Amino acid sequence: MLRFLPAPFRILVNFLWGALATTVIGITIILLGIIKFILPIPAIQRFVSRIANAAFRGWAYSVSAMFRISYPVKWYIEGDIPDDRDGWFMILCNHQSWVDIVALMHLSRKNLPMPRFFLKHQLLWVPVIGMGCWVLDMPFMKRYSKEQIAKNPELKGKDIETTREKCEKFRHIPTTVINFCEGTRFTPIKHKQKGSPYKHLLTPKAGGTSFTLQAMGNQFQEILDITLVYPDRQTDKSIVLDLLAGRLQSVYVYIDRIPVTDDLRGDYFNDPEFRDHFQGWLNSRWELKDKRIEEVLNR
């Protein structure tokens, strides 16, 4: 532990550790991707994919160590993670910071198939990370504004079609699909701009979540509704800096394991009755999250 060091040095050590782990393992995965590209033999590609996933799990263990390097973060977990690396799961989670990704990797590193995130298309061009995520078949999504669709009507539904294509790949690889339903990280400014009805959350977007369940609902074994709370957060500082500086002392996690029942699978875009039902279901999950966050912050 590095508690004896001043905060700037703790930040530097943690940053270098994370950067080194990401670079080394990212380059390894990219090299495996080159082999996969130049040898399009299904048996070889499956073998290389298994090695790449093992390397990705190694990265999960590496970044998980960041919760211990500067300060031993205490985890308060209500609920449990399934013990099944060969299954298919969907995680629904609130989104406050890049630390959410590290926290979810920490929670899933032992017992779940390695997660796949729906990523913004711009992240494809981030050195090492973008190419590594591409090799691991992470879905890069392009979001189109109403203005863009108005100018180019052919873009309507394009993001949903991309989701369909990516979900087809997941059918052959044990996968944990992670969905930050709010679509972006929570900030007070975004909260005010979007007029969220929740105190600590943005309004969840139901369309992509519902479509993924429609595309893979028969394959998902469970939905894992995870709520992350960082009660030590300083309102004038980022959670990332709190983690790197060793100021993040505890993480509260709520895990609800929800069966994928028939009433959660339907045609969200063409069935108004189902759309209303699914929106109501997802909003009720967010109401529970908001209540739990409030309870933790008021302790």
Side-chain angles (χ1 to χ4, degrees), residues 125-140:
W125 310 110
V126 175
V128 181
I129 295 175
M131 185 58 66
C133 290
W134 176 80
V135 174
L136 290 166
D137 290 322
M138 300 278 188
F140 289 90

Side-chain angles (χ1 to χ4, degrees), residues 1 14 16 35 57 63 67 71 74 77 102 132 154 156 159 172 181 188 247-250 256 291-292:
M1 293 190 300
N14 274 291
L16 290 176
I35 297 174
R57 194 176 295 277
V63 296
F67 289 109
Y71 187 92
K74 294 181 180 179
I77 301 176
V102 182
E154 67 274 10
K156 185 176 182 180
D159 53 348
H172 309 290
C181 300
R247 292 189 294 259
L248 187 65
Q249 299 182 26
S250 60
D256 292 324
K291 180 180 178 181
R292 285 171 167 170

Side-chain angles (χ1 to χ4, degrees), residues 2-14 70 244-247:
L2 306 175
R3 294 181 64 182
F4 63 93
L5 291 176
F9 288 96
R10 293 198 298 267
I11 292 173
L12 179 61
V13 171
N14 274 291
S70 294
L244 296 179
R247 292 189 294 259

Side-chain angles (χ1 to χ4, degrees), residues 3-290:
R3 294 181 64 182
F4 63 93
L5 291 176
F9 288 96
R10 293 198 298 267
I11 292 173
L12 179 61
V13 171
N14 274 291
F15 176 80
L16 290 176
W17 172 262
L20 179 63
T22 300
T23 300
V24 171
I25 295 175
I27 290 175
T28 300
I29 291 173
I30 290 171
L31 293 175
L32 290 168
I34 293 174
I35 297 174
K36 191 175 178 179
F37 180 77
I38 63 178
L39 295 174
I41 301 170
I44 293 177
Q45 289 188 328
R46 288 193 295 269
F47 177 71
V48 171
S49 291
R50 285 197 295 270
I51 298 175
N53 271 282
F56 187 33
R57 194 176 295 277
W59 180 78
Y61 274 93
S62 298
V63 296
S64 171
M66 296 174 70
F67 289 109
R68 301 187 300 275
I69 292 175
S70 294
Y71 187 92
V73 174
K74 294 181 180 179
W75 291 81
Y76 299 92
I77 301 176
E78 183 177 305
D80 65 296
I81 291 287
D83 186 4
D84 186 359
R85 289 192 180 189
D86 297 317
W88 279 261
F89 301 91
M90 171 184 272
I91 289 178
L92 306 182
C93 190
N94 56 311
H95 196 16
Q96 304 167 74
S97 164
W98 282 100
V99 175
D100 300 338
I101 295 175
V102 182
L104 291 175
M105 297 303 287
H106 171 82
L107 293 168
S108 62
R109 71 196 190 285
K110 293 181 180 180
N111 301 328
L112 287 179
M114 291 313 296
R116 299 295 191 273
F117 298 87
F118 286 91
L119 303 172
K120 293 181 180 179
H121 190 265
Q122 295 89 328
L123 294 176
L124 179 61
W125 310 110
V126 175
V128 181
I129 295 175
M131 185 58 66
C133 290
W134 176 80
V135 174
L136 290 166
D137 290 322
M138 300 278 188
F140 289 90
M141 309 298 293
K142 281 188 175 180
R143 301 290 185 184
Y144 300 104
S145 66
K146 293 180 180 180
E147 293 75 17
Q148 288 175 307
I149 294 175
K151 292 180 181 179
N152 300 283
E154 67 274 10
L155 295 178
K156 185 176 182 180
K158 189 71 174 178
D159 53 348
I160 298 300
E161 183 58 33
T162 301
T163 304
R164 184 193 298 276
E165 293 172 0
K166 295 299 181 181
C167 286
E168 285 299 317
K169 291 187 177 182
F170 296 157
R171 290 183 179 276
H172 309 290
I173 305 171
T175 301
T176 303
V177 176
I178 294 181
N179 191 351
F180 292 117
C181 300
E182 293 156 298
T184 185
R185 294 187 300 277
F186 177 96
T187 67
I189 294 176
K190 292 176 184 176
H191 182 265
K192 184 176 180 180
Q193 289 176 341
K194 296 178 180 292
S196 173
Y198 310 103
K199 187 174 181 179
H200 305 286
L201 301 165
L202 302 179
T203 305
K205 299 180 179 180
T209 304
S210 175
F211 188 83
T212 305
L213 283 171
Q214 181 185 6
M216 291 186 63
N218 291 326
Q219 206 158 355
F220 284 131
Q221 294 163 228
E222 287 180 299
I223 297 170
L224 307 179
D225 186 0
I226 296 180
T227 304
L228 297 173
V229 192
Y230 309 100
D232 309 306
R233 179 180 182 180
Q234 301 181 26
T235 55
D236 60 336
K237 298 183 183 297
S238 74
I239 302 174
V240 174
L241 281 178
D242 285 340
L243 173 63
L244 296 179
R247 292 189 294 259
L248 187 65
Q249 299 182 26
S250 60
V251 179
Y252 283 74
V253 183
Y254 294 89
I255 304 169
D256 292 324
R257 297 173 61 172
I258 303 169
V260 183
T261 51
D262 289 341
D263 67 303
L264 297 180
R265 298 194 298 265
D267 190 347
Y268 182 89
F269 298 97
N270 297 301
D271 184 343
E273 185 176 347
F274 173 77
R275 181 166 59 246
D276 290 342
H277 165 73
F278 191 84
Q279 286 177 340
W281 175 81
L282 189 59
N283 287 338
S284 69
R285 299 306 312 176
W286 247 244
E287 288 172 4
L288 179 58
K289 284 180 183 291
D290 206 39

